[in-house]
Amino acid sequence: MRWSTPVTAAVAALVVTASVAVTSPAYGRPTVPAAGSGHQLADRLERATRAAGALRHLRAWQSAADANGGTRAADTPGFAASADYLVRRLRLAGYRVTRQPVPYEYYRIDTERAVALTTPPEPLRLLAMTWSPTTPPGGVEAPVRVLPTSRDGVVDPTPGCEPADYAGLPVTGTVVVLPRASCGFVVQEQTAVALGAVAVLFYMPTVRPDNIYRAYLFDPAAISVPVATITQRAAGQLAAQTVGSEVRVRLEITAHRARAVTENILAETVGGRPDRVVMAGAHLDSVTESPGINDNAAAAAALLETAIRLAPHQRAVRNKVRFAWWGAEELIEVGSLHYLAQLDAEQRRRISLYLNYELIASPNFGRFIVDGDDAEHPGVGEKPPPPGSGAVEKVLTGYYGSRGLAYETVDLYSIGSDHWPFADVGIPVGGMDGGTYQAKTAEQAARYGGTAGEMFDRCYHQPCDDLSNLNLAEFDRNCRAVAWVVGRFATDVEDVLAQRHDA
């Protein structure tokens, strides 16, 4: 799952594209029966699929990261090794596998560094935003201005979104430091630049002040000065150092456009109606800064284990099942967008639904299910989910509810992942996410267990997202859930098609 700026004003109220919408979540424990209701294949797959089997895949992908600089990002040897392992396992299970090349252009960072010119100078951890303008030769050196987040004891909920936020703070010729706010990076950058800023450093306010997150600019043309992220702790230290004195920073960002080729891995059942394709997907790549075991190897492993357990039944399924492991999701759905772009209208029409899974083993987990009919979150996202998505949601919530597992529904566009491109072309979508860096509320802790005030995943997009960063009990529950839902739709998509055709 990627952290990014909002695509349009319709989602500008979202702090990030992560797992919890800013609207009040809809909680549930419905009693819709799942197992034992005629879905024999689903029940069989659920019994056969366990975290113990999926963990062997995670160990292989952890090894791929360990041997290749701690990352499995697109266009790295770690990703290539992960894809090779996946293909071997699928072929051993008896699938015909497609390795789809995905060409793309990306932002190759050559230099990203900063130093506070204190006595002695203090290096700052810095991550340039993807597609940030570069600095002039030799970098930028300027005074720091740390924007206060409260005035007269009143917390500003949208710091840096309006010129008035800088009242009394001279900005011309400075590097502005401020927290990410709901109006978005672009608005904040443009506001600071209009007042004379020469660069902007953002930080993400979290309960883990040493975490640092690279962000993605959807519209590079809207940004005119270098932008990057630092840690919240570094921002606090700069704020303290600038009380009563001036602190200067030297910032250097150099980068260039580059072309690369990643790949999508696809495998589908031999049997099943080709005009009723059930797709289930998860991205295989990590961010550059992480091995990406919870985000998103855990979901990729659950899908692989489901595929292996389904393989003996692949000639007998009623509906064709197509598994997908996407490349370069962290660069904004590059793999899934390319896949859909290669399909004609008829090929897209044959896809009955798409299921997407993210971070299914978050250590301080939640269960966030896509609201498929906007019933709980009307008007929050960019547009309503495609018809049929409500039926997909009902199957997922029915599964968790029938097993006494709490969940909450969230707006389709509050989870930034590969279901977006499918929804955008009208294919019914659904899925589940276990939570990223938001802090779990007391209400959520009462429902799920875990620790209130701690992130759902403290290692989201961090180097510590490794095998130790998993809630194994939740991983096991979600492995079974993935298998059951795939098996259910492999048998029956009538409810989805009925909604789709009635629209």
Side-chain angles (χ1 to χ4, degrees):
M1 175 182 293
R2 75 291 192 286
W3 174 38
S4 52
T5 55
V7 181
T8 70
V11 290
L14 300 176
V15 174
V16 291
T17 51
S19 47
V20 183
V22 295
T23 53
S24 297
Y27 296 105
R29 265 200 171 111
T31 56
V32 177
S37 56
H39 299 295
Q40 296 179 355
L41 176 61
D43 296 341
R44 188 177 301 164
L45 290 178
E46 181 189 19
R47 289 192 297 269
T49 306
R50 289 289 187 272
L55 275 169
R56 57 184 171 175
H57 315 315
L58 292 184
R59 294 187 186 103
W61 289 331
Q62 178 72 64
S63 296
D66 291 343
N68 294 286
T71 185
R72 299 182 308 101
D75 193 37
T76 67
F79 179 84
S82 299
D84 287 344
Y85 171 84
L86 173 61
V87 169
R88 287 196 303 270
R89 296 299 309 184
L90 289 167
R91 286 176 175 163
L92 282 171
Y95 286 99
R96 290 178 293 184
V97 181
T98 298
R99 304 186 76 153
Q100 182 185 45
V102 180
Y104 66 101
E105 185 178 59
Y106 72 106
Y107 179 83
R108 182 183 288 278
I109 296 170
D110 301 310
T111 306
E112 50 181 5
R113 59 188 173 213
V115 60
L117 300 177
T118 54
T119 305
E122 297 180 16
L124 298 173
R125 290 176 63 198
L126 183 85
L127 294 180
M129 287 195 193
T130 303
W131 303 112
S132 166
T134 57
T135 56
V140 169
E141 182 180 322
V144 173
R145 294 291 184 266
V146 182
L147 184 67
T149 56
S150 64
R151 292 182 184 275
D152 300 323
V154 179
V155 175
D156 184 352
T158 56
C161 293
E162 299 178 0
D165 296 339
Y166 291 90
L169 189 70
V171 175
T172 300
T174 68
V175 174
V176 169
V177 177
L178 74 168
R180 169 75 162 89
S182 59
C183 63
F185 294 123
V186 170
V187 171
Q188 290 177 284
E189 187 268 359
Q190 291 176 344
T191 300
V193 169
L195 296 172
V198 298
V200 181
L201 302 180
F202 291 93
Y203 62 92
M204 187 64 200
T206 72
V207 297
R208 294 276 176 166
D210 291 317
N211 283 7
I212 187 170
Y213 304 92
R214 191 185 303 281
Y216 189 100
L217 296 170
F218 280 97
D219 185 9
I223 300 292
S224 59
V225 301
V227 287
T229 55
I230 61 175
T231 68
Q232 183 177 355
R233 187 179 302 281
Q237 291 170 342
L238 287 171
Q241 291 164 348
T242 55
V243 174
S245 62
E246 180 178 276
V247 173
R248 300 176 70 84
V249 298
R250 184 180 297 125
L251 166 69
E252 185 176 8
I253 297 173
T254 62
H256 64 279
R257 290 178 179 267
R259 294 189 177 276
V261 178
T262 187
E263 62 181 337
N264 297 324
I265 309 299
L266 301 142
E268 67 180 29
T269 56
V270 175
R273 290 181 56 168
D275 61 336
R276 295 188 176 185
V277 176
V278 173
M279 285 199 69
H283 70 89
L284 186 60
D285 63 313
S286 72
V287 293
T288 305
E289 298 75 32
S290 172
I293 297 303
N294 185 40
D295 182 19
N296 191 40
L303 278 183
L304 175 54
E305 192 64 14
T306 296
I308 290 169
R309 300 302 176 179
L310 179 62
H313 313 287
Q314 64 168 309
R315 295 182 181 277
V317 293
R318 185 173 301 164
N319 307 309
K320 187 172 290 293
V321 178
R322 183 176 302 155
F323 296 97
W325 291 266
W326 308 114
E329 183 271 355
E330 297 289 1
L331 300 178
I332 315 303
E333 286 78 67
V334 168
S336 53
L337 282 167
H338 178 81
Y339 170 77
L340 286 166
Q342 307 310 303
L343 303 183
D344 59 32
E346 175 59 23
Q347 289 170 321
R348 292 179 182 179
R349 187 194 64 78
R350 291 183 172 197
I351 301 174
S352 297
L353 62 102
Y354 173 71
L355 298 163
N356 196 74
Y357 292 96
E358 284 270 11
L359 292 100
I360 67 170
S362 292
N364 195 34
F365 68 89
R367 300 187 191 99
F368 304 103
I369 295 174
V370 170
D371 176 10
D373 53 17
D374 269 1
E376 292 86 9
H377 307 91
V380 174
E382 295 181 317
K383 58 185 179 182
S389 302
V392 179
E393 175 198 346
K394 186 175 181 181
V395 170
L396 270 74
T397 58
Y399 175 87
Y400 285 104
S402 67
R403 285 149 179 78
L405 301 174
Y407 63 85
E408 54 198 279
T409 61
V410 293
D411 175 74
L412 166 67
Y413 291 99
S414 71
I415 301 174
S417 191
D418 292 295
H419 57 293
W420 283 20
F422 284 84
D424 286 345
V425 298
I427 295 171
V429 297
M432 196 281 271
D433 175 84
T436 57
Y437 62 74
Q438 293 92 346
K440 178 177 281 188
T441 66
E443 181 182 14
Q444 289 169 327
R447 296 184 63 81
Y448 300 121
T451 305
E454 177 59 276
M455 296 179 182
F456 293 102
D457 182 357
R458 62 187 181 275
C459 292
Y460 170 70
H461 284 196
Q462 306 302 304
C464 59
D465 185 14
D466 55 25
L467 281 174
S468 68
N469 185 48
L470 301 173
N471 186 308
L472 293 179
E474 180 66 2
F475 184 41
D476 187 66
R477 287 187 287 265
N478 285 324
C479 283
R480 285 181 278 164
V482 169
W484 191 92
V485 171
V486 168
R488 193 279 195 188
F489 285 123
T491 304
D492 182 8
V493 293
E494 295 298 334
D495 46 356
V496 178
L497 297 180
Q499 283 190 1
R500 197 173 185 180
H501 294 155
D502 288 345

